[in-house]
Amino acid sequence: MPYTSILIAVRDVESLRRRIQAWRREGKSIALVPTMGALHAGHIANMKIALKMADRVVATIFVNPKQFGPKEDFEAYPRREQDDFEMLSAAGVHLLFAPDVAAMYPQGYDTTVHVGALGSILEGAERPGHFDGMATVVTKLMQQTQPDIALFGEKDYQQFVIIRRLVTDLNIPVDVIDVPTVREADGLAMSSRNAYLTAEERVRASALYKVLKEVAITIAKGGDIAASVKAGHEALLKAGFSKVDYLEARLADTLAPLTAATQPGRVLAAAYLGRARLIDNVPIPQA
Ligand code: PAF
């Protein structure tokens, strides 16, 4: 009979640590896959990669209040813990850590990880404090779990760059692995927030990926960077997006402005379609 893992769920740090220490005594390697739940095929793809890379996989579900602004969707953020549990179980994940807010930030909690310049551009310029909240919870999850590797989706590319910087700066001995974005058949990046789209918006939403790809290809072919970015911006508005927070070509490693197509680059955007704020990014193809 094939081996199937049994998913254990814990809500407190003590129980998490006990389980992990037992695995460490058995010499097992550990992967951490942090999520905010409302899992979709993209999350499960991350879990499957983690299962190939480590002996034991710890998924976390925590809708982190510290990374939502006062006018953002913390309350509305989809929560589907039972479905999530079943999906993680079917994928073969070994441990789910799903703390509540009081377990993560108990009475008296008073420490925040502050992200420097990387945290105040692009997403950070639109969502002040977001990356400090994200970095705080990711640092805590890494300290609580002490994994060998931690996996993050490339859809949140700036988040991935910040976390890679964070583990270097804070000497956290974890390998940060980026996992390629999983897309729907029409190219839309999978996201828990896609649930906010109406049927009509859902059809229009695929334009984001198409426009990003067009901009990336035009730049790769030698097109003027500023003009390509401007054309992408206009194409999004024409496709029905009501507001473009940013569409930019940046260096892949530091997110500094891209000045030549020969540099490894990325085109990143965030734009509103109805009440959904969609973000996505693509690499600039290299010759
Ligand atoms: O990408 C996410 O879902 C969140 O930002 C993360 C990394 C789980 C931290 O809350």
Side-chain angles (χ1 to χ4, degrees):
M1 203 168 101
Y3 169 76
T4 49
S5 73
I6 296 167
L7 177 61
I8 306 163
V10 295
R11 295 205 183 271
D12 62 286
V13 178
E14 277 300 291
S15 309
L16 172 73
R17 288 235 164 105
R18 259 201 309 276
R19 188 63 256 166
I20 285 177
Q21 278 159 10
W23 285 334
R24 287 295 189 198
R25 281 196 295 275
E26 293 167 15
K28 306 291 187 207
S29 60
I30 291 170
L32 171 69
V33 190
T35 82
M36 296 205 302
L39 302 181
H40 49 67
H43 292 113
I44 298 305
N46 292 4
M47 304 295 162
K48 296 239 161 100
I49 292 171
L51 282 159
K52 287 205 178 100
M53 295 183 76
D55 301 320
R56 293 292 178 265
V57 173
V58 181
T60 70
I61 295 180
F62 180 62
V63 185
N64 174 33
K66 288 194 186 290
Q67 68 187 77
F68 289 78
K71 295 200 180 121
E72 293 185 7
D73 57 343
F74 174 69
E75 296 299 339
Y77 197 85
R79 289 160 172 88
R80 297 193 288 261
E81 209 180 80
Q82 186 58 39
D83 292 351
D84 292 347
F85 184 89
E86 278 158 25
M87 285 170 81
L88 292 171
S89 198
V93 167
H94 303 92
L95 182 62
L96 167 62
F97 177 48
D100 62 14
V101 174
M104 273 316 241
Y105 305 117
Q107 188 69 29
Y109 185 89
D110 197 25
T111 302
T112 300
V113 176
H114 173 62
V115 181
L118 268 177
S120 58
I121 55 171
L122 303 168
E123 281 298 287
E126 303 299 328
R127 306 183 63 192
H130 166 68
F131 285 122
D132 286 1
M134 182 282 293
T136 301
V137 85
V138 167
T139 304
K140 280 176 71 71
L141 291 168
M142 286 182 176
Q143 296 299 345
Q144 291 160 342
T145 311
Q146 309 209 340
D148 299 286
I149 60 172
L151 291 86
F152 297 89
E154 270 184 2
K155 180 181 160 286
D156 296 297
Y157 190 78
Q158 187 177 3
Q159 168 173 281
F160 160 71
V161 172
I162 288 173
I163 294 169
R164 202 177 45 189
R165 181 79 255 164
L166 177 151
V167 297
T168 304
D169 290 352
L170 300 183
N171 307 104
I172 302 176
V174 174
D175 278 342
V176 177
I177 313 288
D178 59 323
V179 182
T181 304
V182 180
R183 299 183 180 280
E184 305 283 0
D186 64 356
L188 176 67
M190 289 194 183
S191 163
S192 309
R193 287 189 169 103
N194 291 349
Y196 299 154
L197 295 166
T198 64
E200 194 248 343
E201 287 160 1
R202 171 63 193 82
V203 175
R204 290 172 183 268
S206 62
L208 180 56
Y209 177 55
K210 292 193 184 90
V211 168
L212 284 171
K213 265 202 332 196
E214 269 165 33
V215 173
I217 290 167
T218 312
I219 293 174
K221 285 183 177 160
D224 179 74
I225 294 174
S228 310
V229 162
K230 188 163 174 279
H233 203 284
E234 281 158 11
L236 281 182
L237 294 175
K238 208 165 154 207
F241 284 79
S242 55
K243 182 171 175 259
V244 181
D245 274 349
Y246 60 85
L247 188 154
E248 307 236 5
R250 298 281 174 137
L251 288 178
D253 56 352
T254 62
L255 297 181
L258 188 83
T259 51
T262 46
Q263 302 163 317
R266 207 107 195 160
V267 184
L268 309 98
Y272 280 90
L273 200 52
R275 77 183 180 104
R277 183 175 181 277
L278 303 181
I279 71 167
D280 201 354
N281 68 90
V282 298
I284 295 174
Q286 293 293 294

